[in-house]
Amino acid sequence: MAWELLYNLQWQLPTEELEAAWKDATGKTAVMKESQANPEDNMAPADVASHVQRRVRRIAEQAFWDSVQATLADSTSGVTQQQVTGQLAGLLAHMGQELMTVLPEQATSAREQLAAQLDEGRLQEALTAHQGSGVNGIDTTHLLSVLEHTAQLLKDMGAPAREAAAVAAHAAIRAELSSALQAGDSPALATAVVKAIRVLMAQLKMLRMDAANFRLKMLAQSLQDGAGIRYAQGKFETAFEVGQESSLEQMSSTLPHTRAWLALVSGQVPQLAQHLQPLTDFAADTNRIQAAAQASVASAVPTALRSGLRASLSAAGNAPAAERPTSAAQLIHPVKADSWRGIVRLGLVQLIQGEIPVEKTALAETLRLDAPRLHLAQNAFQQLVVLAACMLLLQQSLASQQQQSRPNMPEAADVKRRLTGILADPSMRLPDLAAELSRLAGAESDASSQTAMEAALNRMLMRSSGAFKALSSGIGNAIQLQLLPSPTSAQSDAGLQQSVNSALARCGAVSLKAEVAQLALKLSQTAALTEAVHSSTYQKLLSDLI
C-alpha cells in the first residue's frame, strides 16, 4: 500500500461498495426491486463489467440473508433447533472476531467482555438456555442483549460522520423488534433479528474500512516532501543488498534483469532516431524551456504546469492542498532519448508493446512492484491496436460498398464505445468483433460478409502481418513522442502535436488520439516514480552503455 500511496498520496480504499451494502441492509435500497437499466447507456464500457459484478455480489448477499431469515422464521422447515442456533452463534462469533481486530489493545476490559459475550460455544448455549418469548426456539432476550451491546460498541468506535445514520438505523430496528415482540409475530421477529445482525455486520465492515483509510492518511502524511521516495529507496536497497556505493559489477550481478533490460533498450536507441528526432530537437532547445517558464510567470500559471519543469519540494509544500501534487514523484521533462531517463521511458513503452505478457517476462527488479500496472498498460495497448484495426476495416468495408447503397460512417465515438464494450468482455471471441463490425457496416444479415470480415480481421491481427506491425509501431511511436517531452506538452506544443498526429495517421489510428494520450499519461506516472526511486541504480547500470 505504501507503493500505491507514492503514486497518489490521497489514495484511499474504495468505500462505495460497502456504502451500497449499508443501504441494502438498512432497507434504503433493494437490489431485487431496482430496474435493470442497460448500463451501456449511461457509463463507459470499461465500467460495465464492474457494474455487473457489483450487482451480482449484492444479489448473492441478499440471497444469503433471505436464507438465514427463512431458516429462523420457519420452525417446520426440517432444520433442527441446534442448526438454527449454530448458524446464529456462528454469525455473531464471526462479527466478534472482526470487531476484535479494530478494538485497541489497551481496551482490555472491552476486549475481555467482547470475547466472553461473542464466544461461539457460549452463544449457542445461551441462546437455548431460557426459551421464553423467542423465535424458533431461540432465547430472544439474550440475543437482543448481545445485539444491543454490539450496536453500542460499534457506535462508540465509529467515525463521527457516520454516527447519525447508525443511530437512526439502530432506532428503527429497535422499533421493529419491539413491535414484533408485542404482537408475538414470529416471522416479523425473525425478519427484525436478521436485519439487526445484517446492519451490524455492514456497520462493522464500514468501521474497519474507515480505520484502514485513516491509517493510510496518516501514512501518506509521513511520505510527503521526499520521505516516501527515501523510504522506497531504503526498502529496495535492503531487499536486494545494493546501494549507491555498489560498483557496476556488483549491481549488474545483483540486478541482472534490470541490467539486461537497460542494455537492450540502449542498444536500440540509434535505430529509433528517425522517429525520435523531433523529440531530440525539442529536448535540446533550452530557449523553448526558458520561454515557457517566462510565459508561465507572466500569466500567473504554475511553472510546473506550463513548462513541465519539476516544482521544488519547498514550493510544493507551501502550495495550497488543492494545488499540491498527488504523487510523490513528478515527471522530469523534457529529456533526450539517449539519456538514462529517456532509455527508461523507451524501455517502458517496449515492455507494453511486447508479445510476451509482462507478468511472464524476466521483469527488471526495479519494476517488480509495478508489474500489475504494466500488465494493465499492456492490455490497454493491445486493445488500442485491435480497436484501430477494427476501425480501419470498417472504413474499408464502407468504402467498398456501392455508392447508392453505402450507409453513412457511424460516429467515431459511437464505434469506439460499442467495440470497447465487446473488447472489455474476457470471454470475447474474434467472431463477436466481426459480427459487430458487420452490423456497423450495415451487413449484419449477410453471412458471407461477416465471414469475410472475420478473415480480414484475423489476417490484420497476426503479429507477423504488416498491418499489425504498422499499428503497433505507430501507436508505440505516438506514446514515445509524448513521454520524452511529457504527455501534457504534446497537447500544448504545436510541433509535438503534429508529430503525434503524424505517427497515428501513418497507421490509420488518428481517431484514437485521446485514448493513446491517456495511456501515455498512465505510463508517465510509472516512469516518474521508478526514475525517482531508482535514479542512482539506473545511472550506475547505464554508465558504460551511454
Side-chain angles (χ1 to χ4, degrees), residues 54 127 154 156 170 181 196-197 239 330 338 437 441 448 507:
R54 286 194 301 270
L127 289 175
L154 286 171
D156 293 342
H170 296 169
L181 283 170
I197 298 175
Q330 305 302 306
D338 56 359
L437 286 174
S448 60
C507 66

Side-chain angles (χ1 to χ4, degrees), residues 261 347-354 356 358 361 363 367 374 378:
W261 173 58
L348 291 174
V349 177
Q350 290 194 2
L351 276 176
I352 68 170
Q353 276 185 285
I356 301 175
V358 166
T361 62
L363 195 62
L367 296 176
L374 292 171
Q378 187 177 43

Side-chain angles (χ1 to χ4, degrees), residues 223-240:
L223 296 178
Q224 292 179 355
D225 298 334
I229 300 300
R230 293 191 293 273
Y231 171 81
Q233 289 171 339
K235 286 290 186 180
F236 182 82
E237 291 175 358
T238 301
F240 289 95

Side-chain angles (χ1 to χ4, degrees), residues 256-497:
H257 300 307
T258 305
R259 167 70 174 185
W261 173 58
L262 295 173
L264 176 65
V265 178
S266 63
Q268 295 175 348
V269 168
Q271 302 173 14
L272 301 171
Q274 57 180 336
H275 302 299
L276 302 176
Q277 191 61 44
L279 300 180
T280 305
D281 294 342
F282 179 87
D285 189 357
T286 55
N287 292 329
R288 181 195 297 268
I289 300 173
Q290 294 172 357
Q294 293 171 0
S296 70
V297 173
S299 60
V301 175
T303 302
L305 296 181
R306 288 297 299 267
S307 68
L309 298 179
R310 182 174 63 172
S312 67
L313 292 178
S314 59
N318 294 328
E323 296 181 7
R324 292 181 188 176
T326 58
S327 173
Q330 305 302 306
L331 192 70
I332 293 178
H333 49 72
V335 299
K336 294 183 178 181
D338 56 359
S339 67
W340 73 266
R341 294 183 188 276
I343 289 171
V344 168
R345 297 178 197 183
L346 295 178
L348 291 174
V349 177
Q350 290 194 2
L351 276 176
I352 68 170
Q353 276 185 285
E355 179 178 357
I356 301 175
V358 166
E359 66 271 18
K360 294 184 179 179
T361 62
L363 195 62
E365 292 84 0
T366 54
L367 296 176
R368 287 181 181 174
L369 290 177
D370 287 313
R373 270 188 169 78
L374 292 171
H375 174 69
L376 291 176
Q378 187 177 43
N379 286 346
F381 183 89
Q382 292 172 350
Q383 188 176 94
L384 286 176
V385 172
V386 175
L387 195 56
C390 289
M391 297 186 77
L392 282 175
L393 273 180
L394 178 59
Q395 293 172 359
Q396 294 172 6
S397 177
L398 291 172
S400 66
Q401 297 179 32
Q402 295 182 359
Q403 185 68 38
Q404 58 271 24
S405 61
R406 181 188 306 167
N408 294 327
M409 177 68 183
E411 290 289 336
D414 184 54
V415 174
K416 287 190 288 187
R417 182 184 65 82
R418 292 172 64 174
L419 292 177
T420 303
I422 294 174
L423 289 171
D425 183 358
S427 63
M428 184 274 301
R429 300 176 303 114
L430 199 62
D432 300 327
L433 272 178
E436 184 61 31
L437 286 174
S438 297
R439 281 191 288 271
L440 289 168
E444 65 270 22
S445 59
D446 188 344
S448 60
S449 295
Q450 185 169 329
T451 301
M453 185 76 76
E454 182 179 345
L457 188 59
N458 187 50
R459 287 194 299 272
M460 286 190 72
L461 295 179
M462 292 179 62
R463 286 191 171 270
S464 59
S465 71
F468 184 90
K469 292 178 180 178
L471 287 170
S472 180
S473 175
I475 295 174
N477 289 339
I479 295 175
Q480 291 170 356
L481 284 165
Q482 296 177 74
L483 276 187
L484 299 188
S486 87
T488 52
S489 296
Q491 304 301 316
S492 59
D493 186 275
L496 283 172
Q497 193 170 17

Side-chain angles (χ1 to χ4, degrees), residues 54-189:
R54 286 194 301 270
R55 181 174 172 82
V56 168
R57 285 193 290 269
R58 288 176 64 199
I59 292 174
E61 183 172 0
Q62 183 64 52
F64 169 77
W65 290 112
D66 286 347
S67 173
V68 175
Q69 179 181 325
T71 301
L72 186 59
D74 187 3
S75 60
T76 63
S77 62
V79 180
T80 66
Q81 180 185 346
Q82 186 177 6
Q83 290 174 314
V84 174
T85 55
Q87 186 177 39
L88 280 178
L91 286 171
L92 294 171
H94 174 71
M95 184 162 57
Q97 293 168 1
E98 294 292 303
L99 188 52
M100 195 72 76
T101 63
V102 292
L103 266 176
E105 290 292 337
Q106 58 269 30
T108 308
S109 176
R111 292 177 67 89
E112 290 176 352
Q113 185 179 3
L114 183 66
Q117 195 172 50
L118 294 181
D119 175 77
E120 186 170 356
R122 293 181 182 179
L123 274 170
Q124 192 157 359
E125 292 179 5
L127 289 175
T128 55
H130 305 288
Q131 299 177 19
S133 56
V135 50
N136 201 359
I138 302 298
D139 182 358
T140 312
T141 303
H142 183 79
L143 176 60
L144 297 184
S145 173
V146 171
L147 294 177
E148 185 66 39
H149 176 262
T150 306
Q152 184 63 41
L153 194 58
L154 286 171
K155 183 183 80 67
D156 293 342
M157 294 179 60
R162 301 191 190 276
E163 183 174 345
V167 169
H170 296 169
I173 293 173
R174 287 190 191 98
E176 292 180 27
L177 289 167
S178 177
S179 176
L181 283 170
Q182 290 177 5
D185 187 344
S186 290
L189 186 57

